[in-house]
Amino acid sequence: MRDDGTLDDQYGLDGAIDRSDDTHSTVRSTESVEAPTPRRSLLTRLSGLANPLAARPGRTKLAVATGAVCCLGLVGFSQIGAGAIGGSANPAPAKEEIAQRAALDAASRAMERQTSVPATPTAAPTATSTPTPTATPTETKKPKPKPTTKPTPKRIVPVAGLDQAQMDNAKRIVQAGKEMGVPRRALVIAVATAMQESNLYNYASGVLPESQNYPHQAIGWDHDSVGLFQQRPSSGWGSVADLMNPKYATKAFLSVLVQIPGWQDMALTDAAQAVQVSAFPWAYAQHEWRATEVVDAILA
């Protein structure tokens, strides 16, 4: 029985039916030597399939040559396959190796990143919390006093046949008396006396040139008499400068009047004469009604 008969496919194109018994002895000897190996039997089958349409007389030689070439290819393929099979016998180490390589790659990348980072990184600015200011006692600013505007003096319409200058001088007499706190009767006596002495004009004296250095409305020649009440500096009423001031002159007159006992019950002309000691004591009485009207207009 043939050693390679077990591997022949009787139904193949190159089966036992197509095999020629008159094949050269060298070919047979070659086949008989290589037949025991399964690899050779496989090549033999493949060689039969390689050219099924070839002519039978030279087919065996061509099959042998083709089988040889295929055998070399299969030997290399089987070796590679064997290595692959042998290498895949234990797939777990391959996965571990891949994981180790991945870990090494990650570590190398991490080292690269660490080396690229500066050795002393600058500290990121941290948000500093602003300290809550302690409430300090605030100084209460005192409101600045508003500038007091001087009230515009009330312009009183002249009465009793007086002009504005005379009415203004009468007003100064009343204001000075109010500052002193004297009663209304004293104001009427003072205004009536000024009407008689100066006609309610502030006189300077031609005898005292100094008196003309102060505000005045007329010039008289009755000795050294000056001002609304024609008071004389030589008699001790005051200095020229004082007596040319209507306010001072009025207070000087009223200060003497209120010291006369019973002046309030006296007739106007007697009370005025007691202060002035005039050569015409009865002349003051004629101005009482006009003085009363003026004082009433000013105090209204």
Side-chain angles (χ1 to χ4, degrees):
M1 185 175 183
R2 293 168 55 94
D3 295 335
D4 58 351
T6 59
L7 298 175
D8 293 335
D9 187 2
Q10 60 181 350
Y11 299 103
L13 296 178
D14 197 20
I17 299 173
D18 296 331
R19 186 179 302 274
S20 176
D21 294 333
D22 56 358
T23 305
H24 197 271
S25 62
T26 58
V27 176
R28 287 183 182 180
S29 63
T30 305
E31 291 176 356
S32 63
V33 173
E34 297 176 356
T37 63
R39 189 179 300 168
R40 180 63 181 170
S41 300
L42 180 61
L43 292 175
T44 303
R45 288 193 209 134
L46 292 174
S47 65
L49 294 173
N51 192 4
L53 299 178
R56 284 179 184 262
R59 183 176 181 185
T60 305
K61 294 179 179 181
L62 180 61
V64 173
T66 305
V69 174
C70 292
C71 179
L72 294 175
L74 288 174
V75 169
F77 175 78
S78 63
Q79 290 177 355
I80 295 170
I85 294 170
S88 62
N90 190 7
K95 292 182 180 181
E96 293 178 357
E97 183 178 358
I98 292 171
Q100 291 177 358
R101 289 182 180 179
L104 291 175
D105 291 340
S108 62
R109 286 195 296 271
M111 291 295 293
E112 291 177 358
R113 286 196 296 271
Q114 290 177 358
T115 55
S116 62
V117 176
T120 56
T122 56
T126 58
T128 58
S129 59
T130 57
T132 305
T134 57
T136 56
T138 56
E139 295 181 359
T140 56
K141 295 182 178 180
K142 295 180 180 180
K144 294 182 179 179
K146 295 182 180 179
T148 56
T149 56
K150 293 182 179 181
T152 304
K154 182 180 178 181
R155 189 178 182 86
I156 300 173
V157 178
V159 296
L162 304 179
D163 59 22
Q164 191 62 54
Q166 292 171 312
M167 197 69 180
D168 290 341
N169 286 330
K171 182 179 177 181
R172 293 184 179 98
I173 294 172
V174 173
Q175 288 177 344
K178 289 176 65 177
E179 291 179 4
M180 293 178 65
V182 298
R184 180 178 176 276
R185 176 65 176 171
L187 300 178
V188 174
I189 296 171
V191 171
T193 302
M195 284 180 176
Q196 176 61 35
E197 297 291 345
S198 64
N199 201 19
L200 283 176
Y201 290 117
N202 195 25
Y203 268 80
S205 173
V207 177
L208 295 173
E210 179 187 356
S211 63
Q212 299 177 22
N213 296 330
Y214 303 100
H216 60 277
Q217 297 159 335
I219 295 177
W221 296 93
D222 184 11
H223 305 288
D224 59 347
S225 301
V226 294
L228 291 177
F229 295 91
Q230 289 293 287
Q231 295 159 329
R232 301 177 64 178
S234 59
S235 299
W237 286 95
S239 66
V240 176
D242 292 336
L243 297 176
M244 289 297 297
N245 183 354
K247 183 177 181 179
Y248 177 88
T250 301
K251 289 186 176 182
F253 173 85
L254 293 174
S255 296
V256 176
L257 175 65
V258 296
Q259 292 178 3
I260 298 172
W263 67 269
Q264 296 175 340
D265 300 328
M266 292 181 181
L268 184 144
T269 187
D270 295 337
Q273 178 61 21
V275 177
Q276 293 295 103
V277 190
S278 172
F280 307 96
W282 47 265
Y284 301 106
Q286 61 180 334
H287 304 291
E288 186 172 357
W289 71 271
R290 294 174 66 215
T292 301
E293 185 177 352
V294 170
V295 171
D296 290 344
I298 295 172
L299 293 177

